Amino acid sequence: MQGKLNNGEKVAIKVLSSESRQRTKEFLNELSVISNITHHNLVKLHGCCVDGGQKMLVYNYVENNSLAQTLFGNA
């Protein structure tokens, strides 16, 4: 799914399964680690939303809906 930030930037939104066994505390700890990693081959994590059993991640939008294609081309 895609959306836009308040500044107009396109973002990709990943909705995690509500059936995931990962607890909210573990999910937030993992997000803390991911958000502190930067590399030119990784999309930026903008943030997340945790509301009850629903968890969402917000990343940079990658054209063509394929990170692999962006990184590796049409190999």
Side-chain angles (χ1 to χ4, degrees):
M1 170 182 342
Q2 67 175 296
K4 281 188 179 181
L5 298 178
N6 287 339
N7 65 5
E9 181 179 357
K10 279 187 186 180
V11 292
I13 302 169
K14 179 178 180 181
V15 179
L16 302 175
S17 170
S18 61
E19 297 172 5
S20 173
R21 294 181 185 198
Q22 189 176 31
R23 288 190 252 170
T24 300
K25 184 177 179 181
E26 293 166 337
F27 175 76
L28 293 174
N29 286 336
E30 186 174 333
L31 283 174
S32 176
V33 171
I34 291 171
S35 64
N36 289 313
I37 297 172
T38 57
H39 190 275
H40 65 277
N41 286 339
L42 296 175
V43 292
K44 178 182 176 185
L45 177 67
H46 286 280
C48 69
C49 175
V50 179
D51 186 15
Q54 212 171 47
K55 299 176 182 104
M56 293 180 238
L57 300 173
V58 180
Y59 291 97
N60 274 359
Y61 177 78
V62 177
E63 286 294 326
N64 299 323
N65 299 321
S66 172
L67 178 58
Q69 183 178 4
T70 300
L71 292 176
F72 305 116
N74 293 326

